[in-house]
Amino acid sequence: MSEHIFHGKLIPDSDWYDWRWQFRNRITTVAELTESIDLTEQEKQEITQCLGKFRMAITPYYASLMDPTDRNCPIRMQAVPSNLENRILPCEMADPLNEEGESPVPGIVHRYPDRVLFLVTHQCSMYCRHCTRRRLVGEEDMVISDKEIDTAVEYIRSKEEIRDVLISGGDPLTMSDEKLEHILKKLRSIEHVEIIRIGTRVPVVLPMRITLELTNMLRNYEPIWINTHFNHPKEITKDSMDACARLVDAGIPLGNQSVLLRGINDSTDIMKDLLLKLVKNRIRPYYLYQCDLSQGLGHFRTRVETGIEMIHHLQGYISGYAIPKFVIDAPGGGGKIPVNPEYIISIDDNEVVMRNYKGDLYTYPQPPDIRYEKEFHLNAREVCDENDNLHNP
Ligand SMILES: *Cc1c(COP(=O)(O)O)cnc(C)c1O
Ligand code: SF4
C-alpha cells in the first residue's frame, strides 16, 4: 500500500481506507484547504464568500487527486469554489427542472409514467461545484425524517404504475448500511416495484465506502442498478476502479452519468479517454448531460453544439458501448431530451437517405406498401420495383 499524507501527517491505512474517517476529516474550511492547495489571499476571500451560498466538503481521498499548484486541475475545479459562482444570470433558477412542481409528496419527483425519483438525503460526501440540486444539497442539518421516508414509500405503494424507483439525493450511500437497508426492504415489499436504481458519486469521491458489508447487503435486494458520476479520466484511480469492481462483482450493473463541464471535460480527447476507461472497468456510459441552469453555474456551461460535435466525433469511431446518450434536461421540467448529430438527410414514403459516421450517403428503401401488395398479389420483389416506379416515374 502507498503512503497517505494528509495535512502533514502520515495516515495509516486503517484510517485512510475507513470511509467514516474520510467523512469526518473532510475539508470544509478555507484554512483546511490551504493545507492541500496553493491559494492567493484574494482566492481565500472569494472562496469564503462562496461558502455562504453552497458549502464545501472534500474528502481527503478526493483532495489527494488535486494538483496543489494548477488552478485548472479538473479535480480541483469540481471541488473548490470559485468566485464565478457568485454570478447569477437571469435565466438561472433555484429549481431549473421544476422538481418541486412535480413532487406529490416530499422526497418524490414523479415526472415519467412508470418511474420516480426518490430523494432520500440531502447529504453528499463531496459537494460538486456543478451540482444541479444545489438548492437542497449541502445544507447543514437537512436530514429527511423517517416519517417522510414512510410517506414517500406509501406513495410508491399506492401507484401501481411505478415499476422503477431511482434512489438519489444528495448521495444515498452517505447513509449507514442500516438506514439504506431499511429503505430497500420497504421498497422490495412492494410487488409492482421491479427495479431499484441508486444514483451515487461515492465510487468517485469516497471509494472506500463500497465495503464488502455494503455489497453483501445490496445483493439481497436485487435487481439493483447503480449509476455513478465520473466526469474526468483523472478520477479513474486504483481505488475507484476497485470500488466499481466490488459492485459489479456483487451482480450490480454499473452505469455512469457525466456532466459536460467547460474547461474540465469539454474536449473529445478527454471524453474519449474517460469513456474507454469506464467500459474497460465494466461501467456503461449512460448519459452525458448538458449542464443545467442552476444558479451560479454559468461558467461551467458549454454551448450545446459542443456536446453534439463530441458525439459526432465518437459515434462509429469507438465501441457503441462506450457512447453515452447526450441529453438536455429540459428547463421547466420536460424531462431528458436526447440531442444528437443529424444522420437522416431525407425521409419519405419511398426511402430514407442517411449519412454514416464518415459523412458518406446511404439509402434504405421503405418496406413495400402492404395495401398495394394485397390488391395485386405481387411478391415482395415486384412491389419494390413497382414502388420505385410509383415514386420515381
Ligand atoms: C432522470 C430522471 C428519471 C430517470 O430517467 P431515465 O431516463 O429512466 O434514466 C426519473 N425521474 C426523474 C424526475 C428524472 O429526472
Ligand atoms: S454528488 Fe450529486 S447531489 Fe451531491 S453535490 Fe455532487 S452532483 Fe450534487
Side-chain angles (χ1 to χ4, degrees):
M1 293 273 162
S2 56
E3 281 189 352
H4 303 286
I5 313 275
F6 183 61
H7 294 178
K9 287 202 223 62
L10 183 66
I11 310 298
D13 277 354
S14 55
D15 279 343
W16 188 261
Y17 288 104
D18 172 359
W19 72 273
R20 293 187 186 277
W21 181 90
Q22 288 278 342
F23 203 85
R24 268 198 312 275
N25 286 280
R26 292 182 305 170
I27 295 168
T28 58
T29 65
V30 175
E32 290 164 343
L33 190 59
T34 54
E35 303 239 16
S36 289
I37 55 173
D38 296 346
L39 292 170
T40 63
E41 282 313 311
Q42 190 188 340
E43 283 173 321
K44 287 184 204 170
Q45 268 178 24
E46 288 168 355
I47 294 172
T48 310
Q49 203 188 339
C50 283
L51 293 186
K53 290 205 186 70
F54 183 67
R55 69 183 290 210
M56 167 177 71
I58 312 171
T59 55
Y61 163 77
Y62 201 67
S64 76
L65 308 180
M66 294 197 290
D67 186 319
T69 57
D70 179 10
R71 276 160 185 76
N72 297 321
C73 162
I75 303 292
R76 185 165 159 170
M77 286 174 75
Q78 292 183 66
V80 175
S82 130
N83 66 324
L84 296 169
E85 289 175 34
N86 292 314
R87 192 184 56 173
I88 294 175
L89 301 175
C91 66
E92 294 176 351
M93 294 166 266
D95 179 15
L97 309 178
N98 188 31
E99 293 186 329
E100 323 258 298
E102 287 174 288
S103 174
V105 296
I108 296 281
V109 183
H110 195 172
R111 169 172 304 145
Y112 295 109
D114 71 337
R115 55 206 187 280
V116 290
L117 192 59
F118 184 4
L119 307 177
V120 295
T121 176
H122 295 317
Q123 202 167 45
C124 296
S125 37
M126 196 278 277
Y127 291 104
C128 314
R129 302 325 298 176
H130 57 273
C131 181
T132 288
R133 279 191 208 112
R134 49 201 349 248
R135 73 178 186 283
L136 297 177
V137 163
E139 285 174 51
E140 209 70 53
D141 292 313
M142 283 291 269
V143 278
I144 294 174
S145 70
D146 289 347
K147 188 154 169 286
E148 276 178 326
I149 298 271
D150 287 349
T151 310
V153 170
E154 286 320 305
Y155 175 80
I156 296 168
R157 198 187 298 281
S158 73
K159 300 279 176 198
E160 274 185 33
E161 64 271 27
I162 300 173
R163 37 164 296 280
D164 176 359
V165 177
L166 172 42
I167 303 177
S168 183
D171 195 322
L173 295 189
T174 56
M175 298 193 299
S176 66
D177 291 0
E178 294 71 35
K179 193 152 183 192
L180 187 61
E181 180 163 22
H182 174 77
I183 295 171
L184 293 173
K185 195 177 273 173
K186 286 197 164 205
L187 289 175
R188 271 285 164 251
S189 75
I190 303 173
E191 208 158 310
H192 54 264
V193 174
E194 292 172 11
I195 66 165
I196 298 175
R197 295 193 252 178
I198 299 175
T200 175
R201 214 179 175 200
V202 149
V204 187
V205 295
L206 184 66
M208 38 299 275
R209 171 68 185 96
I210 311 298
T211 59
L212 201 59
E213 292 76 43
L214 175 71
T215 54
N216 281 340
M217 183 276 280
L218 294 175
R219 256 177 211 281
N220 296 327
Y221 300 93
E222 59 160 20
I224 291 182
W225 293 62
I226 289 186
N227 250 330
T228 185
H229 178 174
F230 285 93
N231 284 328
H232 193 279
K234 220 180 151 179
E235 294 170 333
I236 312 261
T237 64
K238 168 124 190 10
D239 289 329
S240 65
M241 287 187 298
D242 287 350
C244 291
R246 289 193 287 275
L247 290 167
V248 180
D249 288 346
I252 299 169
L254 270 189
N256 186 71
Q257 327 202 117
S258 301
V259 184
L260 199 48
L261 297 166
R262 177 188 292 269
I264 294 178
N265 60 11
D266 59 341
S267 100
T268 303
D269 287 344
I270 290 175
M271 189 55 73
K272 191 195 280 182
D273 187 14
L274 171 68
L275 298 171
L276 293 176
K277 285 190 166 124
L278 289 170
V279 172
K280 214 169 142 186
N281 285 287
R282 299 179 287 172
I283 308 167
R284 167 78 156 102
Y286 183 53
Y287 282 136
L288 173 62
Y289 285 101
Q290 175 69 15
C291 186
D292 286 326
L293 297 177
S294 299
Q295 290 176 335
L297 299 190
H299 59 295
F300 280 131
R301 284 165 57 205
T302 49
R303 286 185 61 97
V304 174
E305 295 93 317
T306 305
I308 295 175
E309 273 292 296
M310 199 175 264
I311 300 296
H312 170 68
H313 287 115
L314 295 172
Q315 181 69 49
Y317 292 95
I318 58 171
S319 320
Y321 262 127
I323 301 174
K325 207 183 280 174
F326 177 47
V327 294
I328 301 182
D329 221 333
K336 298 170 185 75
I337 302 177
V339 266
N340 273 299
E342 196 55 78
Y343 292 100
I344 295 179
I345 306 293
S346 70
I347 181 162
D348 60 24
D349 290 346
N350 195 29
E351 63 185 21
V352 183
V353 180
M354 312 155 284
R355 67 164 183 81
N356 77 348
Y357 68 106
K358 293 186 213 160
D360 303 331
L361 296 190
Y362 294 87
T363 303
Y364 178 86
Q366 298 277 31
D369 187 316
I370 300 301
R371 284 164 304 168
Y372 186 81
E373 187 177 17
K374 280 192 182 140
E375 215 168 305
F376 293 95
H377 306 285
L378 294 173
N379 69 36
R381 180 61 243 166
E382 285 164 330
V383 173
C384 269
D385 295 343
E386 286 298 320
N387 270 351
D388 281 345
N389 295 338
L390 270 179
H391 294 280
N392 301 318

